[in-house]
Amino acid sequence: AEDEIAAFEREIKQFWATFKSIYGSEQVNQTVALRDSCKESIKALTEKWSQKLKEEDQMIDKIKEYNDEILQQNKLISENEENLAEIKSNLNNEEDQMKSLMDSIQELKEELMKKKEIIASKNKATQERVERLCKSKALFEERLGLEIRRVQDEQLQFIFRHIDHKDPEKPYMFTLFINEQGDYEVTSCSPPLDCIAEFQQKVRETNNFSAFIANIRKAFTELSYK
């Protein structure tokens, strides 16, 4: 717009120079007045359009700022959506982990209850065996010359006498306890017997404790004659 106005002013000057050479001063004066009026109009129009252009430039800058702000807001919204999706995913993972943990706890509880039941059952069986041993004590002492003592760690020590005819008070002994599996286990034997492991395995299979004691006494007796 400013280039067009400058070109227009040049044309006016050229026209004025040509006109002045042809017409008289009065006409020139009128023309000058007309020119000045035209220039004032052009100046006012120029200022008006310059102001409008300035306002349009400001409006464009404002629109650009709004667009930048909208882009920034959209970026923030996108980031927040990504963060929200990540948080939701983490929550879902935590829920899955919590469910898995609760399932594991429940399984452990059930397993613990089963183990408690098994232990209680074994303890009951062990107690019953101990009671049977104690009840048999008098019978063994009377018929086999056997003495039974309770020693450390819930073990029982079996002491035979009247085996060696040369030394009736000489002790022949072994120590027994019931292990965690509920089986009879011999922990010591004096004097040692080669067949003690065989006797131990047999009593585990038959649960015939009386025969087990009789076999050990018989083995001690045979050993005394060697």
Side-chain angles (χ1 to χ4, degrees):
E2 292 179 354
D3 293 340
E4 291 177 357
I5 292 171
F8 181 72
E9 288 179 348
R10 287 195 299 270
E11 290 178 1
I12 291 295
K13 289 179 180 180
Q14 184 178 0
F15 171 77
W16 166 247
T18 303
F19 184 79
K20 185 176 181 181
S21 63
I22 298 173
Y23 296 98
S25 64
E26 183 178 350
Q27 290 177 336
V28 170
N29 291 334
Q30 291 178 356
T31 301
V32 169
L34 180 60
R35 185 198 66 179
D36 293 340
S37 176
C38 183
K39 288 179 68 175
E40 290 295 329
S41 297
I42 291 171
K43 182 179 180 181
L45 182 61
T46 300
E47 291 177 354
K48 179 179 179 181
W49 281 105
S50 296
Q51 182 64 29
K52 286 194 175 201
L53 288 173
K54 184 177 180 180
E55 291 175 356
E56 288 178 359
D57 289 340
Q58 291 176 349
M59 183 63 69
I60 290 172
D61 292 339
K62 198 68 175 178
I63 291 172
K64 185 178 180 181
E65 290 179 3
Y66 287 154
N67 286 335
D68 292 341
E69 185 176 352
I70 290 172
L71 290 175
Q72 185 66 23
Q73 292 296 328
N74 288 336
K75 182 179 180 182
L76 291 175
I77 290 172
S78 178
E79 291 176 353
N80 288 335
E81 288 178 348
E82 292 177 358
N83 291 335
L84 183 61
E86 184 177 357
I87 291 172
K88 185 176 180 180
S89 176
N90 291 336
L91 288 175
N92 290 336
N93 290 336
E94 289 179 359
E95 288 178 357
D96 293 340
Q97 291 176 0
M98 181 61 70
K99 184 177 182 302
S100 177
L101 179 60
M102 295 302 295
D103 292 342
S104 298
I105 292 174
Q106 183 61 32
E107 290 177 1
L108 289 174
K109 285 183 178 179
E110 293 175 357
E111 185 178 353
L112 181 61
M113 290 299 296
K114 289 180 181 179
K115 287 184 177 180
K116 285 184 176 180
E117 291 175 358
I118 292 173
I119 291 173
S121 176
K122 288 183 177 180
N123 288 340
K124 182 179 180 181
T126 300
Q127 185 63 31
E128 289 175 353
R129 288 186 179 184
V130 172
E131 290 177 357
R132 287 198 298 270
L133 290 176
C134 292
K135 290 179 180 179
S136 301
K137 179 180 178 181
L139 178 63
F140 289 147
E141 288 179 348
E142 178 182 352
R143 296 186 179 182
L144 303 177
L146 175 64
E147 178 184 357
I148 302 174
R149 298 176 181 175
R150 187 184 296 271
V151 294
Q152 61 180 2
D153 299 328
E154 299 299 322
Q155 298 186 65
L156 294 178
Q157 187 179 61
F158 296 78
I159 303 172
F160 296 94
R161 301 184 191 277
H162 308 297
I163 289 180
D164 189 345
H165 62 282
K166 297 178 181 179
D167 186 2
E169 295 302 317
K170 179 180 178 179
Y172 290 74
M173 67 187 71
F174 72 94
T175 305
L176 179 75
F177 86 111
I178 299 174
N179 60 26
E180 293 181 356
Q181 288 73 37
D183 296 326
Y184 295 108
E185 184 171 338
V186 177
T187 58
S188 66
C189 181
S190 179
L193 294 174
D194 295 336
C195 55
I196 195 69
E198 178 185 349
F199 292 160
Q200 175 180 273
Q201 182 61 32
K202 190 171 182 178
V203 73
R204 288 180 179 181
E205 294 172 355
T206 63
N207 202 32
N208 189 339
F209 191 74
S210 297
F212 172 69
I213 296 296
N215 287 333
I216 291 180
R217 190 178 191 283
K218 182 179 179 181
F220 279 144
T221 301
E222 291 175 354
L223 184 64
S224 69
Y225 286 102
K226 293 181 179 180

